[in-house]
Amino acid sequence: MGPYVRILLRYGVGAVIGYQLGDQLSNDPDVVTVATVLATAAVGVGTEFAYHLARRFGWKL
């Protein structure tokens, strides 16, 4: 029983801290801007990588 309680507490504390940190960061416009730019770049890189794989393996485009 002890290990399960310890695991639940660990994830519970992590969730609370993550929520508080996320709330603080979301109120900072610079952080939101950087996160948006990084997310957009990640989607673009992922799309180009999928296109590269499709060309390399002869998948239909």
Side-chain angles (χ1 to χ4, degrees):
M1 181 76 169
Y4 295 115
V5 172
R6 188 179 67 240
I7 291 169
L8 287 173
L9 287 173
R10 182 185 312 148
Y11 281 103
V13 169
V16 170
I17 291 173
Y19 176 77
Q20 290 175 350
L21 183 61
D23 187 43
Q24 289 175 353
L25 291 176
S26 67
N27 289 326
D28 186 352
D30 292 334
V31 172
V32 173
T33 301
V34 169
T36 303
V37 168
L38 290 176
T40 305
V43 169
V45 168
T47 303
E48 291 300 322
F49 183 69
Y51 177 75
H52 170 73
L53 287 178
R55 298 276 299 172
R56 182 173 183 181
F57 292 115
W59 300 338
K60 286 189 176 183
L61 298 176

